[in-house]
Amino acid sequence: MTLTAITRDVDPSISHCELTYQSRVEIEYALAVEQHRRYQAVLSEIGCEVVTIPAAQGLADCVFIEDTAIVLDEVAVLCRPGAASRRPEVAGVEPVLRRFRTLASIQSPGTLDGGDLLRVGKTIYAGLSTRSNQSGIDQLRAIVSDHGYTVTAVTTPSCLHLKSAVSQVAPGTLLVNPEWVGTEVFKDYQLIEVDPEEAHAANALLVAGNVIYPTAAFPRTASRLAALGLTLLPVDVSELQKAEGAVTCCSLILNT
Ligand code: CIR
């Protein structure tokens, strides 16, 4: 079995990205592209086959491909992003996913962003956020329950996506910002809390036992992860963070 990482290039219009919690600051396009290339290189170095979809002109957020789909071993579900400006992104991802999986999709009035979906084994935690609504979550449940998945809705009133607040860093271990998500629902896992001074630090990308992580941006939380013996692969995504992006949102990782 191999791992495929589907990524999408940064569009030059990224400065016009959606913003919900952060203020707009200038994004250096060339640096964003360079950082994204390094991110792709790290995925490649750890054995992923990296597939890259060209940017779609004018789709400012298209680099954040995670929000367009959730890919399971059995099926890929095309999302219907909560931000209307992002819905056209899905069309460019669909033909690529079709090469790998049977497709299903979320329909209006449902909205769902992949960033709100945390899969741990056969459980999918789904953030009820400004982007993902109950209809979207119910549609996802109807699609995946036939394949043995449980979908649990989790409210995330204080951050963009569920995975802004919690992500997996090792088998049975989650990295969490307890200020942004209730932890009761995750009580069966080992929980590592972000450093209180690093609110945005809960998003890590676990791939094949490696944790791709913005260590320079979140050094205190990185130390906590390193103390657990986790292998951290540092990436700098400072320009994408200005667009409220993080490390999980720049790829779709699938078993192939
Ligand atoms: C947005 O607001 O939709 C983008 N500017 C950022 C999306 C980041 N996506 C993610 O973390 N899954």
Side-chain angles (χ1 to χ4, degrees), residues 17-18 61 64 66-67 86 115 131 160-161 243-245 249:
C17 66
E18 292 286 338
D61 282 305
F64 304 122
E66 168 184 63
D67 293 318
R86 299 201 56 193
R131 300 295 177 85
L160 183 59
H161 288 127
E244 292 189 44
C249 55

PDB file of all heavy atoms in Angstrom, residues 17-18 61 64 66-67 86 115 131 160-161 243-245 249, ligand 1:
ATOM      1  N   CYS A  17      -8.224  35.892   0.083  1.00  0.00           N
ATOM      2  CA  CYS A  17      -8.815  34.716   0.727  1.00  0.00           C
ATOM      3  C   CYS A  17      -9.935  35.084   1.692  1.00  0.00           C
ATOM      4  O   CYS A  17     -10.048  36.230   2.130  1.00  0.00           O
ATOM      5  CB  CYS A  17      -7.716  33.979   1.499  1.00  0.00           C
ATOM      6  SG  CYS A  17      -7.068  34.950   2.881  1.00  0.00           S
ATOM      7  N   GLU A  18     -10.729  34.070   2.013  1.00  0.00           N
ATOM      8  CA  GLU A  18     -11.716  34.236   3.087  1.00  0.00           C
ATOM      9  C   GLU A  18     -10.983  34.419   4.417  1.00  0.00           C
ATOM     10  O   GLU A  18      -9.964  33.779   4.664  1.00  0.00           O
ATOM     11  CB  GLU A  18     -12.582  32.958   3.201  1.00  0.00           C
ATOM     12  CG  GLU A  18     -13.493  32.697   2.039  1.00  0.00           C
ATOM     13  CD  GLU A  18     -14.703  33.634   2.026  1.00  0.00           C
ATOM     14  OE1 GLU A  18     -15.055  34.171   3.093  1.00  0.00           O
ATOM     15  OE2 GLU A  18     -15.265  33.824   0.932  1.00  0.00           O
ATOM     16  N   ASP A  61      -8.582  30.576  -2.240  1.00  0.00           N
ATOM     17  CA  ASP A  61      -8.313  29.617  -1.157  1.00  0.00           C
ATOM     18  C   ASP A  61      -8.050  28.201  -1.660  1.00  0.00           C
ATOM     19  O   ASP A  61      -8.050  27.264  -0.864  1.00  0.00           O
ATOM     20  CB  ASP A  61      -9.512  29.596  -0.202  1.00  0.00           C
ATOM     21  CG  ASP A  61      -9.518  30.791   0.747  1.00  0.00           C
ATOM     22  OD1 ASP A  61      -8.510  30.986   1.442  1.00  0.00           O
ATOM     23  OD2 ASP A  61     -10.526  31.525   0.787  1.00  0.00           O
ATOM     24  N   PHE A  64      -6.075  25.287  -0.046  1.00  0.00           N
ATOM     25  CA  PHE A  64      -6.570  24.607   1.156  1.00  0.00           C
ATOM     26  C   PHE A  64      -7.502  23.471   0.763  1.00  0.00           C
ATOM     27  O   PHE A  64      -8.686  23.420   1.094  1.00  0.00           O
ATOM     28  CB  PHE A  64      -7.251  25.619   2.083  1.00  0.00           C
ATOM     29  CG  PHE A  64      -6.341  26.756   2.457  1.00  0.00           C
ATOM     30  CD1 PHE A  64      -6.685  28.078   2.175  1.00  0.00           C
ATOM     31  CD2 PHE A  64      -5.115  26.512   3.061  1.00  0.00           C
ATOM     32  CE1 PHE A  64      -5.835  29.120   2.496  1.00  0.00           C
ATOM     33  CE2 PHE A  64      -4.251  27.551   3.381  1.00  0.00           C
ATOM     34  CZ  PHE A  64      -4.613  28.861   3.104  1.00  0.00           C
ATOM     35  N   GLU A  66      -7.934  20.495   1.581  1.00  0.00           N
ATOM     36  CA  GLU A  66      -8.598  19.635   2.570  1.00  0.00           C
ATOM     37  C   GLU A  66     -10.087  19.929   2.688  1.00  0.00           C
ATOM     38  O   GLU A  66     -10.891  19.040   2.954  1.00  0.00           O
ATOM     39  CB  GLU A  66      -7.964  19.836   3.944  1.00  0.00           C
ATOM     40  CG  GLU A  66      -8.759  19.206   5.066  1.00  0.00           C
ATOM     41  CD  GLU A  66      -8.196  19.481   6.434  1.00  0.00           C
ATOM     42  OE1 GLU A  66      -8.131  20.649   6.873  1.00  0.00           O
ATOM     43  OE2 GLU A  66      -7.784  18.516   7.085  1.00  0.00           O
ATOM     44  N   ASP A  67     -10.455  21.185   2.483  1.00  0.00           N
ATOM     45  CA  ASP A  67     -11.853  21.554   2.717  1.00  0.00           C
ATOM     46  C   ASP A  67     -12.800  21.056   1.642  1.00  0.00           C
ATOM     47  O   ASP A  67     -14.014  21.117   1.813  1.00  0.00           O
ATOM     48  CB  ASP A  67     -11.961  23.085   2.858  1.00  0.00           C
ATOM     49  CG  ASP A  67     -11.259  23.551   4.115  1.00  0.00           C
ATOM     50  OD1 ASP A  67     -11.407  22.876   5.150  1.00  0.00           O
ATOM     51  OD2 ASP A  67     -10.540  24.569   4.059  1.00  0.00           O
ATOM     52  N   ARG A  86     -15.820  29.471  -2.060  1.00  0.00           N
ATOM     53  CA  ARG A  86     -14.963  28.295  -2.143  1.00  0.00           C
ATOM     54  C   ARG A  86     -15.632  27.108  -2.844  1.00  0.00           C
ATOM     55  O   ARG A  86     -14.972  26.114  -3.145  1.00  0.00           O
ATOM     56  CB  ARG A  86     -14.490  27.904  -0.732  1.00  0.00           C
ATOM     57  CG  ARG A  86     -13.676  29.013  -0.072  1.00  0.00           C
ATOM     58  CD  ARG A  86     -12.802  28.494   1.049  1.00  0.00           C
ATOM     59  NE  ARG A  86     -11.936  27.449   0.560  1.00  0.00           N
ATOM     60  CZ  ARG A  86     -11.241  26.631   1.336  1.00  0.00           C
ATOM     61  NH1 ARG A  86     -11.315  26.754   2.642  1.00  0.00           N
ATOM     62  NH2 ARG A  86     -10.464  25.683   0.829  1.00  0.00           N
ATOM     63  N   GLY A 115     -12.028  20.652   6.737  1.00  0.00           N
ATOM     64  CA  GLY A 115     -11.299  21.061   7.939  1.00  0.00           C
ATOM     65  C   GLY A 115     -12.081  20.819   9.213  1.00  0.00           C
ATOM     66  O   GLY A 115     -11.523  20.822  10.314  1.00  0.00           O
ATOM     67  N   ARG A 131     -18.847  27.153   9.052  1.00  0.00           N
ATOM     68  CA  ARG A 131     -18.741  26.588   7.702  1.00  0.00           C
ATOM     69  C   ARG A 131     -19.555  25.310   7.496  1.00  0.00           C
ATOM     70  O   ARG A 131     -20.004  25.042   6.381  1.00  0.00           O
ATOM     71  CB  ARG A 131     -17.273  26.285   7.378  1.00  0.00           C
ATOM     72  CG  ARG A 131     -16.355  27.494   7.419  1.00  0.00           C
ATOM     73  CD  ARG A 131     -16.702  28.507   6.341  1.00  0.00           C
ATOM     74  NE  ARG A 131     -15.873  29.693   6.438  1.00  0.00           N
ATOM     75  CZ  ARG A 131     -14.674  29.825   5.905  1.00  0.00           C
ATOM     76  NH1 ARG A 131     -14.154  28.832   5.217  1.00  0.00           N
ATOM     77  NH2 ARG A 131     -13.996  30.951   6.058  1.00  0.00           N
ATOM     78  N   LEU A 160     -12.125  28.533  13.430  1.00  0.00           N
ATOM     79  CA  LEU A 160     -12.610  28.329  12.063  1.00  0.00           C
ATOM     80  C   LEU A 160     -13.144  26.921  11.849  1.00  0.00           C
ATOM     81  O   LEU A 160     -14.257  26.714  11.390  1.00  0.00           O
ATOM     82  CB  LEU A 160     -11.482  28.642  11.062  1.00  0.00           C
ATOM     83  CG  LEU A 160     -11.865  28.535   9.589  1.00  0.00           C
ATOM     84  CD1 LEU A 160     -13.005  29.487   9.246  1.00  0.00           C
ATOM     85  CD2 LEU A 160     -10.651  28.805   8.695  1.00  0.00           C
ATOM     86  N   HIS A 161     -12.325  25.936  12.158  1.00  0.00           N
ATOM     87  CA  HIS A 161     -12.681  24.545  11.892  1.00  0.00           C
ATOM     88  C   HIS A 161     -12.402  23.679  13.121  1.00  0.00           C
ATOM     89  O   HIS A 161     -11.567  24.045  13.960  1.00  0.00           O
ATOM     90  CB  HIS A 161     -11.830  23.996  10.737  1.00  0.00           C
ATOM     91  CG  HIS A 161     -12.190  24.535   9.383  1.00  0.00           C
ATOM     92  ND1 HIS A 161     -11.263  25.109   8.536  1.00  0.00           N
ATOM     93  CD2 HIS A 161     -13.364  24.561   8.714  1.00  0.00           C
ATOM     94  CE1 HIS A 161     -11.865  25.474   7.399  1.00  0.00           C
ATOM     95  NE2 HIS A 161     -13.137  25.160   7.496  1.00  0.00           N
ATOM     96  N   ALA A 243      -3.648  33.407   5.953  1.00  0.00           N
ATOM     97  CA  ALA A 243      -4.934  33.142   5.297  1.00  0.00           C
ATOM     98  C   ALA A 243      -5.800  32.217   6.153  1.00  0.00           C
ATOM     99  O   ALA A 243      -6.778  31.646   5.661  1.00  0.00           O
ATOM    100  CB  ALA A 243      -4.696  32.513   3.925  1.00  0.00           C
ATOM    101  N   GLU A 244      -5.435  32.052   7.401  1.00  0.00           N
ATOM    102  CA  GLU A 244      -6.118  31.153   8.340  1.00  0.00           C
ATOM    103  C   GLU A 244      -5.967  29.692   7.928  1.00  0.00           C
ATOM    104  O   GLU A 244      -6.816  28.851   8.245  1.00  0.00           O
ATOM    105  CB  GLU A 244      -7.596  31.524   8.553  1.00  0.00           C
ATOM    106  CG  GLU A 244      -7.761  32.840   9.294  1.00  0.00           C
ATOM    107  CD  GLU A 244      -9.204  33.136   9.711  1.00  0.00           C
ATOM    108  OE1 GLU A 244      -9.887  32.245  10.210  1.00  0.00           O
ATOM    109  OE2 GLU A 244      -9.627  34.294   9.528  1.00  0.00           O
ATOM    110  N   GLY A 245      -4.890  29.408   7.217  1.00  0.00           N
ATOM    111  CA  GLY A 245      -4.596  28.026   6.859  1.00  0.00           C
ATOM    112  C   GLY A 245      -3.619  27.417   7.852  1.00  0.00           C
ATOM    113  O   GLY A 245      -3.011  28.116   8.652  1.00  0.00           O
ATOM    114  N   CYS A 249      -4.725  21.433   6.175  1.00  0.00           N
ATOM    115  CA  CYS A 249      -5.624  21.913   5.119  1.00  0.00           C
ATOM    116  C   CYS A 249      -4.996  21.904   3.736  1.00  0.00           C
ATOM    117  O   CYS A 249      -5.701  22.069   2.748  1.00  0.00           O
ATOM    118  CB  CYS A 249      -6.161  23.292   5.459  1.00  0.00           C
ATOM    119  SG  CYS A 249      -4.909  24.475   5.790  1.00  0.00           S
TER     120      CYS A 249
HETATM  121  C1  CIR B   1     -10.904  29.941   4.587  1.00  0.00           C
HETATM  122  O1  CIR B   1     -11.272  30.805   5.371  1.00  0.00           O
HETATM  123  O2  CIR B   1     -11.679  29.129   4.107  1.00  0.00           O
HETATM  124  C2  CIR B   1      -9.441  29.900   4.202  1.00  0.00           C
HETATM  125  N1  CIR B   1      -8.932  31.230   4.164  1.00  0.00           N
HETATM  126  C3  CIR B   1      -8.644  29.043   5.148  1.00  0.00           C
HETATM  127  C4  CIR B   1      -9.060  27.607   5.135  1.00  0.00           C
HETATM  128  C5  CIR B   1      -8.214  26.759   5.999  1.00  0.00           C
HETATM  129  N2  CIR B   1      -8.677  25.425   5.935  1.00  0.00           N
HETATM  130  C6  CIR B   1      -8.427  24.511   6.847  1.00  0.00           C
HETATM  131  O3  CIR B   1      -7.796  24.781   7.845  1.00  0.00           O
HETATM  132  N3  CIR B   1      -8.933  23.304   6.667  1.00  0.00           N
END
